[in-house]
Amino acid sequence: MKKFEEKTISSNRIYEGKIINLKVDEVSLPNGHTSKRELVEHPGAVALVAITEDNKIIMVEQYRKALERTIIEIPAGKIEKGEAPEYTAMRELEEETGYTADKLVLIQSFSTSPGFADEVIHLYAAEGLKKSTSGAVLDEDEFVELMEVTVEEAEQLMKENRIYDAKTAFAVLWAKQRLSIEN
Amino acid sequence: MKKFEEKTISSNRIYEGKIINLKVDEVSLPNGHTSKRELVEHPGAVALVAITEDNKIIMVEQYRKALERTIIEIPAGKIEKGEAPEYTAMRELEEETGYTADKLVLIQSFSTSPGFADEVIHLYAAEGLKKSTSGAVLDEDEFVELMEVTVEEAEQLMKENRIYDAKTAFAVLWAKQRLSIEN
């Protein structure tokens, strides 16, 4: 879909980083006017809705420098170069939570900030969850704390803004609908 | 909550733009190691779940340069300097859709990309929706097309990835729950 397309006139690369790049594009609008677009490039990420046998959602608590505080999120991680999203999701699930899944089912892919970033998150449901013998295997510079919460607890954490990111907010609503259909 | 806090050692401002800024912070991790964080600053935004009398969700279709395509989103806009989020929401609702609301109720605030950006979206339910006499009032450089879709249509648009951003995906699930409680 290219309705209202903004054609690139020129592109100025400002920064190439470890995770993100920044460029500023000059674009031609549908009415012939020109404008600038500040655009962040991101490799994309995966996230997982992993629900245990006793209907708890697996979450990780971690510090987010961008927000200068600790929040509670579903397991997620960025896609490494050349990785298929589903592989990233299996890897992150095991590394961050110590669980493995028989099967991943794509729930939805979505852009997080379409106004300025190309980041897309692929959100999977982890089915056939099993505790791996090795447990979570974190990098030595990775600090996360595992939690398992009911849907009701997750909704309370959203009210308190301790769950505070879009992918996790979506996941909580999705889990609520899924569990209400099953039960 | 400051668990696992990453303290700033130094901060290098790379870019100050019209909408976003970019800085790279050197941080001290809980184990004493240091790392770099690439951080985008954004003024924050509002978004609205506006449901018409005949249970349709108001959406806008627009081109997103970051994605190089057109997607369908709930009405939204960034917070201008000094604006209270609720004021921004009332303004964006009227400008983008030509509707006014008697009342806005905060559903949830969430970070869109906590890994690299401080952007927070405040999502409101617009209650007591009325068509304003003036209709939508767009800037001359703003190109959006209004749509009104049922929850079922919105779910189909999600499957087709024409609805493709996190705030709108959340809004569709939220509207589905709200309408199933009411009806």
Side-chain angles (χ1 to χ4, degrees), chain A residues 1-4 6 8 15 17-20 24 31 33 38 42 61 63-66 68-70 108 111-113 117-120 140-141 143 145 158 164-166 169 173 177, chain B residues 1-4 6 8 15 17-20 24 31 33 38 61 63 65-66 68-70 108 111-113 115-120 140-141 143 145 158 164-166 169-170 173 177:
Chain A
M1 295 290 295
K2 294 282 187 184
K3 189 154 59 175
F4 308 134
E6 300 176 351
T8 308
Y15 176 78
K18 202 171 55 168
I19 297 173
I20 60 174
V24 179
N31 63 0
H33 292 187
E38 297 160 348
H42 184 284
E61 188 171 21
Y63 191 80
R64 289 302 201 172
K65 187 64 185 171
E68 296 286 11
R69 71 180 182 94
T70 310
Q108 186 72 36
S111 158
T112 53
S113 298
D118 67 356
E119 183 192 32
V120 169
E140 63 167 337
D141 286 347
F143 300 90
E145 190 166 298
M158 282 173 69
Y164 193 63
D165 77 295
L173 289 200
Q177 287 189 15
Chain B
M1 296 290 295
K2 294 282 188 184
K3 189 155 57 174
F4 306 134
E6 299 176 350
T8 309
Y15 176 79
K18 202 170 58 168
I19 297 173
I20 60 175
V24 180
N31 63 0
H33 292 186
E38 297 160 346
E61 188 170 20
Y63 192 79
K65 187 64 184 169
E68 295 287 11
R69 72 180 182 96
T70 311
Q108 186 72 35
S111 159
T112 53
S113 299
F116 68 91
D118 68 356
E119 183 192 32
V120 170
E140 63 166 335
D141 287 346
F143 301 90
E145 191 166 297
M158 281 172 68
Y164 195 62
D165 77 295
F170 178 90
L173 289 199
Q177 287 189 15

Coordinates of all heavy atoms in Angstrom, one line a residue, chain A residues 1-4 6 8 15 17-20 24 31 33 38 42 61 63-66 68-70 108 111-113 117-120 140-141 143 145 158 164-166 169 173 177, chain B residues 1-4 6 8 15 17-20 24 31 33 38 61 63 65-66 68-70 108 111-113 115-120 140-141 143 145 158 164-166 169-170 173 177:
Chain A
M1 N 0.9 -1.2 0.0 CA 0.0 0.0 0.0 C 0.9 1.2 0.0 O 1.7 1.5 0.9 CB -0.9 0.0 1.2 CG -1.9 -1.1 1.3 SD -3.2 -0.9 0.1 CE -4.0 0.6 0.7
K2 N 0.8 2.0 -1.1 CA 1.6 3.2 -1.2 C 0.8 4.5 -1.2 O 1.3 5.5 -1.7 CB 2.5 3.1 -2.4 CG 3.5 1.9 -2.4 CD 4.7 2.3 -1.5 CE 5.8 1.2 -1.6 NZ 6.9 1.5 -0.7
K3 N -0.5 4.5 -0.8 CA -1.3 5.7 -0.9 C -0.6 6.8 0.0 O -0.1 6.5 1.0 CB -2.7 5.3 -0.3 CG -3.7 6.4 -0.4 CD -5.1 5.9 -0.4 CE -5.5 5.2 0.9 NZ -6.9 4.8 0.8
F4 N -0.6 8.0 -0.5 CA 0.0 9.1 0.1 C 1.5 9.0 0.2 O 2.1 9.5 1.1 CB -0.6 9.4 1.5 CG -2.1 9.5 1.6 CD1 -2.8 8.8 2.6 CD2 -2.8 10.3 0.7 CE1 -4.2 9.0 2.7 CE2 -4.2 10.4 0.8 CZ -4.9 9.7 1.8
E6 N 5.4 9.1 0.4 CA 6.4 10.2 0.5 C 7.7 9.7 -0.1 O 8.4 8.8 0.4 CB 6.6 10.5 2.0 CG 5.3 10.9 2.7 CD 5.5 11.2 4.2 OE1 6.6 10.8 4.7 OE2 4.6 11.7 4.8
T8 N 11.5 9.7 -1.3 CA 12.8 10.2 -0.8 C 13.5 11.0 -1.8 O 13.8 10.6 -2.9 CB 13.7 9.0 -0.4 OG1 13.0 8.1 0.4 CG2 15.0 9.5 0.3
Y15 N 24.0 8.7 12.2 CA 24.6 7.9 13.2 C 24.4 6.4 12.8 O 23.3 6.0 12.4 CB 24.0 8.2 14.6 CG 24.5 7.3 15.7 CD1 25.7 7.5 16.3 CD2 23.7 6.2 16.1 CE1 26.1 6.7 17.4 CE2 24.2 5.4 17.2 CZ 25.4 5.7 17.8 OH 25.8 4.9 18.8
G17 N 25.0 2.9 14.8 CA 25.4 2.4 16.2 C 25.4 0.9 16.3 O 25.3 0.2 15.3
K18 N 25.4 0.5 17.5 CA 25.5 -1.0 17.9 C 24.1 -1.6 17.6 O 24.0 -2.7 17.0 CB 25.8 -1.1 19.3 CG 26.4 -2.4 19.8 CD 27.0 -2.4 21.2 CE 25.9 -1.9 22.2 NZ 26.3 -2.2 23.6
I19 N 23.0 -0.9 18.0 CA 21.7 -1.4 17.8 C 20.9 -0.6 16.9 O 20.2 -1.1 16.0 CB 21.0 -1.5 19.2 CG1 21.7 -2.5 20.1 CG2 19.5 -2.0 19.0 CD1 21.2 -2.6 21.5
I20 N 20.9 0.7 17.0 CA 20.1 1.6 16.1 C 21.0 2.5 15.2 O 22.2 2.8 15.5 CB 19.1 2.4 16.9 CG1 19.8 3.4 17.9 CG2 18.1 1.6 17.5 CD1 18.9 4.3 18.6
V24 N 18.2 11.2 8.4 CA 17.2 12.2 8.2 C 16.9 12.3 6.7 O 17.9 12.6 5.9 CB 17.6 13.6 8.8 CG1 16.5 14.6 8.5 CG2 17.9 13.5 10.3
N31 N 1.4 16.5 -2.2 CA 1.0 17.8 -2.8 C 2.3 18.5 -3.4 O 2.2 19.7 -3.8 CB 0.4 18.7 -1.7 CG 1.3 19.0 -0.6 OD1 2.4 18.6 -0.5 ND2 0.8 19.8 0.4
H33 N 5.0 19.5 -1.9 CA 5.8 20.1 -0.9 C 6.9 19.1 -0.4 O 6.8 17.9 -0.6 CB 4.9 20.5 0.3 CG 4.0 21.7 0.0 ND1 3.2 22.3 1.0 CD2 3.7 22.3 -1.1 CE1 2.5 23.2 0.5 NE2 2.7 23.2 -0.8
E38 N 12.8 12.2 10.4 CA 13.8 11.7 11.2 C 13.5 10.2 11.5 O 12.5 9.9 12.1 CB 13.9 12.5 12.6 CG 14.2 14.0 12.3 CD 13.9 14.9 13.5 OE1 13.1 14.5 14.4 OE2 14.3 16.1 13.4
H42 N 16.2 0.0 13.2 CA 16.3 -1.0 14.2 C 16.2 -2.4 13.6 O 15.4 -2.6 12.7 CB 15.2 -0.8 15.3 CG 15.3 -1.7 16.5 ND1 14.9 -3.0 16.5 CD2 15.8 -1.4 17.8 CE1 15.1 -3.5 17.7 NE2 15.7 -2.6 18.5
E61 N 11.5 -8.8 34.8 CA 11.6 -7.5 35.3 C 13.0 -7.0 35.0 O 14.0 -7.7 35.3 CB 11.4 -7.4 36.9 CG 11.3 -6.0 37.4 CD 10.9 -6.0 38.9 OE1 11.0 -7.1 39.6 OE2 10.4 -4.9 39.3
Y63 N 15.8 -3.3 34.2 CA 16.0 -1.8 34.1 C 16.0 -1.4 32.7 O 16.7 -2.0 31.9 CB 17.3 -1.5 34.8 CG 17.4 0.0 35.1 CD1 16.8 0.6 36.2 CD2 18.2 0.8 34.2 CE1 16.9 2.0 36.4 CE2 18.3 2.2 34.5 CZ 17.7 2.7 35.5 OH 17.8 4.1 35.8
R64 N 15.3 -0.3 32.4 CA 15.3 0.3 31.1 C 15.9 1.7 31.1 O 15.2 2.6 31.6 CB 13.9 0.3 30.5 CG 13.3 -1.1 30.2 CD 14.2 -1.8 29.2 NE 13.5 -2.9 28.5 CZ 14.0 -3.5 27.4 NH1 15.3 -3.3 27.0 NH2 13.3 -4.5 26.8
K65 N 17.1 1.8 30.6 CA 17.8 3.1 30.7 C 16.9 4.2 30.0 O 16.9 5.3 30.5 CB 19.1 3.0 30.0 CG 20.0 4.2 30.2 CD 20.4 4.5 31.6 CE 21.2 5.7 31.8 NZ 21.3 6.1 33.3
A66 N 16.3 3.9 28.9 CA 15.5 5.0 28.2 C 14.4 5.6 29.1 O 14.1 6.7 29.0 CB 14.9 4.4 27.0
E68 N 14.7 5.2 32.6 CA 15.3 5.4 33.9 C 14.6 4.7 35.0 O 14.5 5.2 36.1 CB 15.5 6.9 34.2 CG 16.5 7.7 33.3 CD 18.0 7.3 33.5 OE1 18.3 6.4 34.2 OE2 18.8 8.1 32.8
R69 N 14.0 3.5 34.7 CA 13.4 2.8 35.8 C 13.2 1.3 35.4 O 13.4 0.9 34.2 CB 12.1 3.4 36.2 CG 10.9 3.3 35.3 CD 9.7 3.9 35.9 NE 8.5 3.9 35.1 CZ 7.6 2.9 35.2 NH1 7.7 1.9 36.1 NH2 6.5 2.9 34.4
T70 N 12.8 0.5 36.3 CA 12.6 -0.9 36.2 C 11.2 -1.2 35.8 O 10.3 -0.6 36.4 CB 12.9 -1.7 37.5 OG1 14.2 -1.2 37.9 CG2 13.0 -3.1 37.3
Q108 N 0.9 -11.9 16.2 CA 0.8 -10.6 15.4 C 2.2 -10.1 15.3 O 3.0 -10.2 16.2 CB -0.1 -9.7 16.1 CG -0.4 -8.4 15.4 CD -1.3 -8.6 14.3 OE1 -2.3 -9.4 14.3 NE2 -1.1 -7.8 13.2
S111 N 4.6 -2.8 14.3 CA 5.6 -1.7 14.4 C 5.3 -1.0 15.8 O 4.2 -0.8 16.2 CB 5.3 -0.7 13.3 OG 5.7 0.6 13.6
T112 N 6.4 -0.7 16.5 CA 6.3 -0.1 17.8 C 6.1 1.4 17.7 O 5.3 2.0 18.5 CB 7.5 -0.4 18.7 OG1 8.7 0.0 17.9 CG2 7.6 -1.9 18.9
S113 N 6.8 2.1 16.8 CA 6.7 3.6 16.7 C 6.8 4.0 15.3 O 7.8 4.5 14.8 CB 7.9 4.2 17.5 OG 7.9 3.8 18.8
A117 N 10.4 5.1 13.7 CA 11.2 4.0 13.8 C 10.7 2.8 12.9 O 9.5 2.7 12.8 CB 11.5 3.5 15.2
D118 N 11.6 2.0 12.4 CA 11.1 0.9 11.6 C 11.1 -0.4 12.4 O 10.8 -1.5 11.8 CB 12.0 0.7 10.3 CG 13.4 0.3 10.6 OD1 13.8 0.2 11.8 OD2 14.2 0.1 9.7
E119 N 11.3 -0.3 13.7 CA 11.3 -1.5 14.5 C 9.9 -2.3 14.4 O 8.9 -1.7 14.6 CB 11.5 -1.2 16.0 CG 11.6 -2.4 16.9 CD 11.5 -2.1 18.4 OE1 10.8 -1.2 18.8 OE2 12.1 -2.9 19.2
V120 N 10.0 -3.6 14.1 CA 8.9 -4.4 14.1 C 9.1 -5.5 15.2 O 10.2 -6.1 15.2 CB 8.6 -5.0 12.7 CG1 7.6 -6.1 12.8 CG2 8.2 -4.0 11.8
E140 N 26.6 -12.3 31.4 CA 27.1 -11.8 32.7 C 26.7 -10.3 32.9 O 26.6 -9.8 34.0 CB 28.6 -12.0 32.9 CG 29.4 -11.2 31.9 CD 30.9 -11.1 32.3 OE1 31.2 -11.2 33.5 OE2 31.8 -10.9 31.4
D141 N 26.4 -9.6 31.7 CA 26.0 -8.2 31.8 C 24.4 -8.0 31.7 O 24.0 -6.9 31.4 CB 26.7 -7.4 30.7 CG 28.1 -7.2 31.1 OD1 28.5 -7.4 32.3 OD2 28.9 -6.7 30.2
F143 N 20.8 -8.3 33.5 CA 20.2 -8.4 34.8 C 18.7 -8.4 34.7 O 18.1 -7.3 34.4 CB 20.6 -7.2 35.6 CG 22.1 -7.1 35.8 CD1 22.9 -6.5 34.9 CD2 22.7 -7.8 36.8 CE1 24.3 -6.5 35.0 CE2 24.1 -7.8 36.9 CZ 24.9 -7.2 36.0
E145 N 14.9 -10.3 36.3 CA 14.4 -11.2 37.3 C 13.1 -11.8 36.8 O 12.2 -11.1 36.3 CB 14.1 -10.3 38.6 CG 13.7 -11.2 39.8 CD 13.8 -10.4 41.1 OE1 14.9 -9.9 41.4 OE2 12.7 -10.2 41.7
M158 N -0.4 -3.3 35.4 CA -0.6 -2.3 34.4 C -1.2 -1.0 35.1 O -0.8 0.1 34.7 CB -1.6 -2.8 33.3 CG -1.0 -3.8 32.3 SD -2.2 -4.5 31.2 CE -2.7 -3.1 30.2
Y164 N 4.5 -1.6 31.6 CA 4.4 -0.2 31.1 C 4.9 -0.2 29.6 O 5.3 0.9 29.1 CB 5.3 0.7 32.0 CG 5.2 2.2 31.8 CD1 4.0 2.8 32.0 CD2 6.2 3.0 31.3 CE1 3.8 4.1 31.9 CE2 6.1 4.3 31.1 CZ 4.9 4.9 31.4 OH 4.7 6.3 31.3
D165 N 4.9 -1.3 28.9 CA 5.2 -1.1 27.5 C 4.1 -1.8 26.6 O 3.4 -2.6 27.1 CB 6.6 -1.8 27.2 CG 6.6 -3.3 27.2 OD1 6.2 -3.8 28.2 OD2 6.8 -3.8 26.1
A166 N 4.1 -1.3 25.4 CA 3.0 -1.6 24.5 C 2.9 -3.1 24.2 O 1.8 -3.7 24.2 CB 3.1 -0.8 23.2
A169 N 1.5 -4.9 27.3 CA 0.1 -4.5 27.5 C -0.8 -5.3 26.5 O -1.8 -5.8 26.9 CB -0.1 -3.0 27.3
L173 N -3.8 -8.4 27.4 CA -5.2 -8.5 26.9 C -5.3 -9.7 26.1 O -6.4 -10.4 26.2 CB -5.5 -7.3 26.0 CG -5.6 -5.9 26.6 CD1 -6.4 -5.0 25.7 CD2 -6.3 -6.0 28.0
Q177 N -8.0 -12.9 26.9 CA -9.0 -13.4 25.9 C -8.8 -14.9 25.7 O -9.7 -15.7 25.7 CB -8.9 -12.7 24.6 CG -9.5 -11.3 24.7 CD -9.6 -10.5 23.4 OE1 -9.6 -11.2 22.3 NE2 -9.8 -9.2 23.4
Chain B
M1 N 10.9 2.5 40.9 CA 11.7 1.2 40.9 C 13.0 1.4 40.3 O 13.1 1.7 39.1 CB 10.9 0.2 40.2 CG 9.5 -0.2 40.8 SD 9.7 -1.0 42.4 CE 10.5 -2.6 41.8
K2 N 14.1 1.2 41.0 CA 15.4 1.4 40.5 C 16.3 0.1 40.6 O 17.5 0.2 40.5 CB 16.1 2.5 41.3 CG 15.5 3.9 41.1 CD 15.9 4.5 39.8 CE 15.4 6.0 39.7 NZ 15.7 6.5 38.4
K3 N 15.6 -1.0 40.7 CA 16.3 -2.3 40.8 C 17.2 -2.5 39.5 O 16.7 -2.2 38.4 CB 15.3 -3.5 40.9 CG 16.0 -4.8 41.2 CD 15.0 -5.8 41.9 CE 13.7 -6.0 41.1 NZ 12.9 -7.0 41.8
F4 N 18.4 -3.0 39.7 CA 19.3 -3.2 38.5 C 19.6 -1.8 37.8 O 19.9 -1.8 36.6 CB 18.7 -4.1 37.5 CG 18.3 -5.5 38.0 CD1 17.0 -6.0 37.6 CD2 19.1 -6.2 38.9 CE1 16.6 -7.2 38.1 CE2 18.7 -7.5 39.3 CZ 17.4 -8.0 38.9
E6 N 21.1 1.3 36.1 CA 22.3 1.6 35.3 C 22.6 3.1 35.4 O 21.9 4.0 34.9 CB 22.0 1.3 33.8 CG 21.6 -0.2 33.6 CD 21.3 -0.5 32.2 OE1 21.1 0.4 31.3 OE2 21.1 -1.7 31.9
T8 N 24.4 6.7 34.9 CA 25.0 7.4 33.8 C 26.4 7.8 34.2 O 26.6 8.5 35.2 CB 24.2 8.6 33.4 OG1 22.9 8.2 33.2 CG2 24.8 9.2 32.1
Y15 N 22.4 14.1 18.2 CA 21.5 14.8 17.3 C 20.4 15.4 18.1 O 19.8 14.8 19.0 CB 21.0 13.8 16.3 CG 20.0 14.3 15.3 CD1 20.4 15.1 14.2 CD2 18.6 14.1 15.5 CE1 19.4 15.6 13.3 CE2 17.7 14.6 14.6 CZ 18.1 15.3 13.5 OH 17.2 15.8 12.6
G17 N 16.8 17.1 17.0 CA 16.0 17.3 15.8 C 14.7 18.0 16.0 O 14.5 18.6 17.1
K18 N 13.8 17.9 15.1 CA 12.5 18.5 15.1 C 11.6 17.7 16.1 O 10.8 18.3 16.9 CB 11.9 18.5 13.7 CG 10.8 19.6 13.4 CD 10.5 19.6 11.9 CE 10.0 18.3 11.4 NZ 9.4 18.4 10.0
I19 N 11.7 16.4 16.0 CA 10.8 15.6 16.8 C 11.6 14.7 17.8 O 11.3 14.6 18.9 CB 9.9 14.7 15.9 CG1 9.0 15.5 15.0 CG2 9.1 13.7 16.8 CD1 8.2 14.8 14.0
I20 N 12.7 14.2 17.3 CA 13.5 13.3 18.2 C 14.9 13.8 18.4 O 15.4 14.6 17.5 CB 13.5 11.8 17.7 CG1 14.2 11.7 16.3 CG2 12.1 11.2 17.7 CD1 14.3 10.3 15.8
V24 N 24.0 9.0 23.2 CA 24.6 7.7 23.6 C 25.2 7.9 25.0 O 26.1 8.7 25.2 CB 25.7 7.3 22.6 CG1 26.3 6.0 23.0 CG2 25.1 7.2 21.2
N31 N 26.9 -4.9 38.1 CA 28.2 -5.7 38.4 C 29.4 -4.8 38.3 O 30.5 -5.4 38.3 CB 28.2 -7.0 37.6 CG 28.4 -6.6 36.1 OD1 28.4 -5.5 35.7 ND2 28.4 -7.7 35.3
H33 N 30.6 -3.4 35.6 CA 31.0 -3.3 34.2 C 30.4 -2.0 33.6 O 29.4 -1.5 34.1 CB 30.5 -4.5 33.4 CG 31.2 -5.8 33.8 ND1 31.1 -6.9 33.1 CD2 32.1 -6.0 34.8 CE1 31.8 -7.9 33.7 NE2 32.4 -7.4 34.7
E38 N 22.2 3.5 23.5 CA 21.8 4.4 22.4 C 20.3 4.8 22.7 O 19.4 3.9 22.7 CB 21.9 3.7 21.1 CG 23.4 3.4 20.7 CD 23.5 2.3 19.7 OE1 22.5 1.7 19.3 OE2 24.7 2.2 19.2
E61 N -6.0 6.2 8.0 CA -5.0 5.6 7.1 C -4.0 6.6 6.7 O -4.3 7.7 6.3 CB -5.7 5.0 5.9 CG -4.8 4.1 5.1 CD -5.5 3.3 4.0 OE1 -6.6 3.7 3.6 OE2 -4.9 2.3 3.5
Y63 N 0.4 7.4 5.4 CA 1.7 6.8 5.0 C 2.7 7.0 6.1 O 2.8 8.1 6.7 CB 2.2 7.6 3.7 CG 3.4 6.9 3.1 CD1 3.3 5.8 2.2 CD2 4.7 7.4 3.3 CE1 4.3 5.2 1.6 CE2 5.8 6.8 2.7 CZ 5.6 5.7 1.9 OH 6.7 5.1 1.3
K65 N 6.6 6.9 6.7 CA 7.9 6.9 6.0 C 8.9 5.8 6.6 O 9.6 5.1 5.9 CB 8.6 8.2 6.1 CG 9.9 8.4 5.2 CD 9.6 8.2 3.8 CE 10.9 8.2 3.0 NZ 10.7 7.8 1.5
A66 N 8.8 5.7 7.9 CA 9.7 4.7 8.6 C 9.5 3.3 8.1 O 10.4 2.5 8.0 CB 9.5 4.7 10.1
E68 N 7.8 2.8 5.1 CA 7.7 2.9 3.6 C 6.4 2.3 3.1 O 6.3 1.7 2.0 CB 8.9 2.3 2.9 CG 10.3 2.9 3.1 CD 10.4 4.3 2.4 OE1 9.5 4.9 1.9 OE2 11.6 4.8 2.4
R69 N 5.4 2.5 3.9 CA 4.0 2.1 3.4 C 2.9 2.7 4.2 O 3.2 3.4 5.2 CB 3.9 0.5 3.4 CG 3.8 -0.1 4.7 CD 3.6 -1.6 4.5 NE 3.5 -2.3 5.8 CZ 2.3 -2.7 6.3 NH1 1.2 -2.4 5.7 NH2 2.3 -3.4 7.4
T70 N 1.7 2.5 3.7 CA 0.5 3.1 4.4 C -0.1 2.1 5.4 O -0.2 0.9 5.0 CB -0.6 3.4 3.3 OG1 0.1 4.1 2.2 CG2 -1.7 4.1 3.8
Q108 N -4.6 3.6 29.4 CA -3.3 3.1 29.8 C -2.3 4.0 29.2 O -2.5 4.5 28.1 CB -3.1 1.7 29.3 CG -1.9 1.0 29.7 CD -1.9 0.6 31.2 OE1 -2.9 0.2 31.7 NE2 -0.8 0.7 31.9
S111 N 5.1 2.8 27.2 CA 6.3 3.0 26.5 C 6.2 2.2 25.2 O 5.8 1.0 25.2 CB 7.5 2.6 27.3 OG 8.6 2.3 26.6
T112 N 6.6 2.8 24.1 CA 6.5 2.0 22.8 C 7.7 1.1 22.6 O 7.6 0.0 22.0 CB 6.3 3.0 21.6 OG1 7.4 3.9 21.7 CG2 5.0 3.7 21.7
S113 N 8.9 1.6 22.9 CA 10.2 0.9 22.6 C 11.1 1.1 23.8 O 12.1 1.8 23.6 CB 10.8 1.5 21.3 OG 9.9 1.3 20.2
G115 N 13.5 -0.4 24.9 CA 14.9 -0.7 24.7 C 15.7 0.5 24.2 O 17.0 0.5 24.4
F116 N 15.1 1.4 23.5 CA 15.9 2.5 23.0 C 15.3 3.9 22.9 O 15.9 4.8 22.5 CB 16.4 2.2 21.5 CG 15.3 2.1 20.5 CD1 15.0 3.2 19.8 CD2 14.7 0.9 20.2 CE1 14.0 3.2 18.8 CE2 13.7 0.9 19.3 CZ 13.3 2.0 18.6
A117 N 14.0 4.0 23.4 CA 13.3 5.3 23.3 C 12.5 5.6 24.5 O 12.0 4.6 25.1 CB 12.4 5.3 22.0
D118 N 12.4 6.8 24.8 CA 11.6 7.2 26.0 C 10.1 7.6 25.7 O 9.4 8.0 26.5 CB 12.3 8.4 26.8 CG 12.3 9.7 26.0 OD1 11.8 9.7 24.9 OD2 12.7 10.7 26.6
E119 N 9.8 7.4 24.4 CA 8.4 7.7 24.0 C 7.4 7.0 24.8 O 7.4 5.8 25.0 CB 8.2 7.4 22.5 CG 6.8 7.8 22.0 CD 6.4 7.2 20.7 OE1 6.8 6.1 20.3 OE2 5.6 7.9 20.0
V120 N 6.4 7.8 25.4 CA 5.3 7.2 26.0 C 4.0 7.6 25.3 O 3.9 8.8 24.9 CB 5.2 7.6 27.5 CG1 3.9 7.2 28.2 CG2 6.4 7.0 28.3
E140 N -2.2 21.5 5.7 CA -2.1 21.3 4.3 C -1.1 20.2 3.9 O -1.1 19.6 2.8 CB -1.8 22.6 3.5 CG -0.4 23.2 3.8 CD 0.0 24.3 2.8 OE1 -0.5 24.3 1.7 OE2 0.8 25.1 3.2
D141 N -0.1 19.9 4.8 CA 0.9 18.9 4.5 C 0.5 17.5 5.2 O 1.4 16.7 5.4 CB 2.3 19.3 5.0 CG 2.8 20.4 4.0 OD1 2.2 20.5 2.9 OD2 3.8 21.1 4.4
F143 N -1.7 14.1 5.2 CA -2.5 13.3 4.3 C -3.0 12.1 5.0 O -2.3 11.1 5.2 CB -1.7 12.9 3.1 CG -1.2 14.1 2.4 CD1 0.0 14.7 2.7 CD2 -2.0 14.7 1.4 CE1 0.4 15.9 2.0 CE2 -1.6 15.9 0.7 CZ -0.4 16.4 1.0
E145 N -6.7 9.5 5.7 CA -8.0 9.1 5.2 C -8.7 8.5 6.4 O -8.2 7.6 7.0 CB -7.9 8.2 4.0 CG -9.3 8.0 3.3 CD -9.1 7.3 2.0 OE1 -8.4 7.9 1.1 OE2 -9.5 6.2 1.8
M158 N -5.9 -6.6 10.9 CA -4.7 -7.0 11.7 C -4.0 -8.2 11.0 O -2.8 -8.3 10.8 CB -5.0 -7.3 13.1 CG -5.1 -6.0 14.0 SD -5.7 -6.3 15.7 CE -4.3 -7.2 16.4
Y164 N -1.1 -2.3 11.8 CA 0.3 -2.9 12.0 C 1.1 -2.1 13.0 O 2.3 -2.1 13.0 CB 1.0 -2.8 10.6 CG 2.3 -3.6 10.5 CD1 2.2 -4.9 10.6 CD2 3.5 -2.9 10.2 CE1 3.4 -5.7 10.4 CE2 4.7 -3.7 10.1 CZ 4.6 -5.1 10.2 OH 5.8 -5.8 10.0
D165 N 0.5 -1.5 13.9 CA 1.3 -0.8 15.0 C 0.7 -1.2 16.4 O -0.5 -1.5 16.5 CB 1.3 0.7 14.8 CG 0.1 1.4 15.3 OD1 -1.0 1.1 14.6 OD2 0.1 2.1 16.3
A166 N 1.6 -1.2 17.3 CA 1.3 -1.7 18.7 C 0.1 -1.0 19.3 O -0.8 -1.7 19.9 CB 2.5 -1.7 19.6
A169 N -3.1 -2.2 17.7 CA -3.4 -3.6 18.0 C -3.9 -3.7 19.4 O -4.9 -4.4 19.6 CB -2.1 -4.4 17.9
F170 N -3.3 -3.0 20.4 CA -3.8 -2.9 21.7 C -5.3 -2.4 21.7 O -6.2 -3.0 22.4 CB -2.9 -2.1 22.6 CG -3.4 -2.0 24.0 CD1 -3.0 -2.9 25.0 CD2 -4.3 -1.0 24.4 CE1 -3.5 -2.8 26.3 CE2 -4.7 -0.9 25.7 CZ -4.3 -1.8 26.7
L173 N -8.0 -4.9 20.6 CA -8.3 -5.9 21.7 C -9.1 -5.3 22.8 O -10.1 -5.8 23.3 CB -7.0 -6.5 22.3 CG -6.2 -7.5 21.4 CD1 -5.3 -8.3 22.3 CD2 -7.1 -8.4 20.6
Q177 N -13.0 -6.2 24.0 CA -13.4 -6.6 25.3 C -14.5 -5.6 25.8 O -15.5 -6.0 26.4 CB -12.2 -6.5 26.3 CG -11.3 -7.7 26.1 CD -10.2 -7.8 27.1 OE1 -10.3 -7.2 28.2 NE2 -9.2 -8.6 26.9

